[in-house]
Amino acid sequence: MWLFRKRHRSCSGSAVNSRRAVALAAVPLILVAGVVLLYAQRSQVRPAAVSPTPTASPTASATARPEQTKPPGIDTTQPQLPMPTSARWAVDKGSPDDPQHRSLLELFFDGNAFGFRVVDAGGSTVLRFPIAGSGIFGPETCMARARKPQENATWIAVDQATLDLFVQRYGSYRVIADGIPAGQVTLPLADSGCRISS
């Protein structure tokens, strides 16, 4: 720092300003060049091997190898989990804080699934049941009273018109379960007989 001040005092003001301007202009260029070189090294592709124009098929030199994260010979695919073999439904009263006063339409099932679609006789989707998170259900609810110990459950909030239509037509509906990690199974929809309304 002392050396810089001494030189600064011996130079004229305009020469110092022009040197400072050149140095300040060079800093971003040096940073950009460093980032480009670092990125090229990290991606294991030489900058000269990447074509600026797209080609119909990639060449061996332009295709980066995927980084290996597990030792060879270890299978990283998920095995197929058991699919549901049955689906039953129930109705619980919804949250008292819900301004729309919706009911909870619950689906009880065995096995494993990513989600469910309820379809009509023509195959059109009527309702979708994603897998729900945890919830708090008291002993007076269908979730506690009607669900069998080996069953899983999910639910959705529905308005009264949707619930009435579902109750009238559920016998003609089917449930399509999306398996984990793949596959689908179509199941009949059974009534658990449990309905708790508000």
Side-chain angles (χ1 to χ4, degrees), residues 57-73:
S57 63
T59 62
S61 63
T63 305
R65 277 190 333 212
E67 187 175 321
Q68 187 173 341
T69 57
K70 294 195 178 202

Side-chain angles (χ1 to χ4, degrees), residues 6 14 21 48 97 99 106 116 119 125 158 170 186:
K6 191 170 187 178
S14 63
D97 299 332
E106 300 162 343
F116 297 88
V119 297
T125 300
V158 294
Y170 82 89
T186 303

Side-chain angles (χ1 to χ4, degrees), residues 21-38:
V22 169
L24 288 176
V27 169
L29 292 175
I30 293 170
L31 287 174
V32 169
V35 168
V36 168
L37 289 174
L38 181 63

Side-chain angles (χ1 to χ4, degrees), residues 73-114:
I74 294 179
D75 186 16
T76 59
T77 59
Q78 180 177 352
Q80 182 68 40
L81 296 179
M83 300 283 277
T85 60
S86 66
R88 300 181 315 122
W89 63 274
V91 178
D92 265 321
K93 63 181 176 179
S95 169
D97 299 332
D98 183 2
Q100 297 175 16
H101 306 290
R102 296 175 295 180
S103 297
L104 296 180
L105 182 56
E106 300 162 343
L107 188 66
F108 306 133
F109 59 97
D110 63 348
N112 302 278
F114 272 130

